[in-house]
Amino acid sequence: MICSNVADGAWLPVRAAPGVTGLEALYGPSPTWLQHGLAGGYAQAIRAAHMIDHIDVPYEAAESVILRNLIAMAMRVTGLDTARGTEWKRLRARVLAHGQFDEHQVQAYFAEHQHRMFVSGERPYRQIAALRDQCGEWSAPGKLVYGLPSGNNHVWFDKRDEDTPVPIHVAIWSLEALHGVGAGGGCGRRQLPGRQAWSKTMAGPYRNAVSYFIRGRTLFETLVLNCPSGTPGAPDEDVAPWESDADPDPLNPASAVVTGRVSLLTGRSPHAVLLNVAPNGQTVQGVQMTWAFQGPGVSMPPALDPYVMHEHSTDKAGREVITTARADPARALWRDVDALLAHTRPAPGPRLPDPDKAAGKTKGQQAPRPPAIFAELSSGLSGSATASALRAARVRAVSLASKQANDVLWWSADSPYALFRPEGDATQVPPTVKSAHSEAEDICILLDRAVKQMATAMCAGNRKKAADTHWPANAKRLFWDRAEPTFWQAVAAALEGHPYAPGRFLPVALSAYDEATAAAARSPRGMQAVAQARTILTRRKKTTDKKDESK
């Protein structure tokens, strides 16, 4: 069941939690939405969070931003925005045990900030009203919307023309997505008084990154479990865009510096936007999309987002370099579960050889560090109510991968099983995840080696030409697609207390090898090459058997 608080255009649809009835009465169609602006949607979502399974926004990039906004609001209404240390752990456990947000606190928060949550007006939500004077003519509304054709591009997802007015709920999704994953490069011209016009901007902070969230049984558990525990900021400095009546200084990127938990989640957009909303409030007729901070070489202040993985490496001068792990749409998401749970095992060491990357690319680089939100997840959650919430929590990944300004793929995925254990729980999940992940990666390296040896034989010994053939990529694709069920079967066994049983992935690799090389084996020459290279996989099993016999 999907519910919305907008009678004629669902801007924040949600899905009811299993077995929940009566959600419509608390979170149902409300004709007063146009008077309450976005506050209506956010307030109702938090009020009814204990009855909601998850938000159901069709744009993954918008979901990533909306979740961060909801988490920031949840911190405000619970006090988790300023608590620290042991106090923060105890408060989070009490909130989680209570089972829902305090309705009076929710009403008080949105009553205070509702005036900045209208889509249009003097202080429109996450927009800069001054762009009306600082930019030129309005751009077509379709330029804001993801999936609509613009310019001479082909129609992929929506056949409407870019000049067609956009429904208000679609514009809101696109507005939120732009602030999170908007492309960098050319944009609308913006000219400040006494300054030269500028028409370039930076990419959004979550573009080409995978955001990993902890997904609870309800939206309430999701929001509480995802509250970060970083250093809190001063209440008058650590503010969200809708909590301040002052717009960021476009000539001072430092005005966007992260000062605490709330600004970290909500205040890092390099884009400035203004919507031209129709008088009836139902559609958007035009848009201004430009830069938020000006100047060549200007960049957003650095910040470590708590929901993305970071890679640590060393530059030539020996200094540590921290970068966001780049999203790869061709990489199976379950392969990174091991890195997500790195807090359950010793500190990361050198990265395993990655068959997806050329040799030498990972030299001096460590395994990806898990998102900070996973680091203290289990801490302080050992009570009966809080422990049950943690045992049921899964991982949700949301991402957008792009090539320069072009979006390549949006995707989202949930882990089919819970992966987290309360403090003191000795269930075999983390060790099993580590063992299964390591074995799968090692077997794939052998598979890649075997297929390339076969391809080299087929290419008269030319290794470079062999590497460019379709065989290696096809074998890896088949392996990773088929290895995922095997991985989750191991996790399911671990949840029942069974230790990891090695040898699960070799049959998967042999099956992938045989299918990927089947066409090559139809000739006598190919049959010999395929058979000889296959021993790279089978020889490993025979060696293991001999060692076992000697014991």
Side-chain angles (χ1 to χ4, degrees), residues 448-473:
D448 188 58
R449 188 181 304 163
V451 177
K452 286 181 177 177
Q453 177 175 307
M454 183 279 299
T456 301
M458 296 294 291
C459 295
N462 190 326
R463 293 185 179 180
K464 184 176 181 180
K465 185 176 179 180
D468 295 333
T469 62
H470 67 280
W471 290 303

Side-chain angles (χ1 to χ4, degrees), residues 85-163:
T86 303
E87 176 193 359
W88 178 87
K89 297 177 184 179
R90 292 174 178 172
L91 177 59
R92 182 182 62 157
R94 288 198 302 269
V95 171
L96 200 58
H98 186 63
Q100 66 184 81
F101 295 112
D102 185 277
E103 186 167 344
H104 297 292
Q105 295 291 342
V106 175
Q107 291 178 348
Y109 176 80
F110 286 97
E112 179 181 358
H113 302 294
Q114 179 178 313
H115 67 287
R116 284 301 309 266
M117 290 189 170
F118 292 97
V119 184
S120 60
E122 295 183 3
R123 295 286 181 183
Y125 173 80
R126 301 204 75 171
Q127 301 169 60
I128 307 296
L131 297 185
R132 193 179 300 273
D133 301 320
Q134 296 173 356
C135 296
E137 297 182 357
W138 293 93
S139 298
K143 289 187 177 295
L144 173 71
V145 180
Y146 292 87
L148 276 181
S150 61
N152 294 322
N153 293 333
H154 294 291
V155 177
W156 292 107
F157 303 110
D158 199 314
K159 65 181 181 180
R160 288 178 297 175
D161 186 85
E162 67 173 355
D163 294 318

Side-chain angles (χ1 to χ4, degrees), residues 175-195:
L175 172 68
E176 298 284 29
L178 177 71
H179 283 304
V181 299
C187 64
R189 293 174 65 84
R190 181 183 184 184
Q191 185 167 16
L192 303 179
R195 294 278 182 169

Side-chain angles (χ1 to χ4, degrees), residues 20 48 73 123 136-137 154 156 158 169 172 177 187 208 219-220 238 277 294 311 348 400 444 463 482 518:
V20 168
M73 296 169 182
R123 295 286 181 183
E137 297 182 357
H154 294 291
W156 292 107
D158 199 314
H169 62 284
I172 294 172
C187 64
N208 272 323
L219 180 62
F220 168 77
D238 181 30
V277 182
Q294 182 188 31
E311 294 181 337
L400 178 145
C444 188
R463 293 185 179 180
R482 297 172 181 178

Side-chain angles (χ1 to χ4, degrees), residues 367-387:
R369 303 289 177 88
I373 196 63
F374 291 83
E376 293 185 319
L377 179 59
S378 302
S379 182
L381 300 183
S382 57
S384 57
T386 57

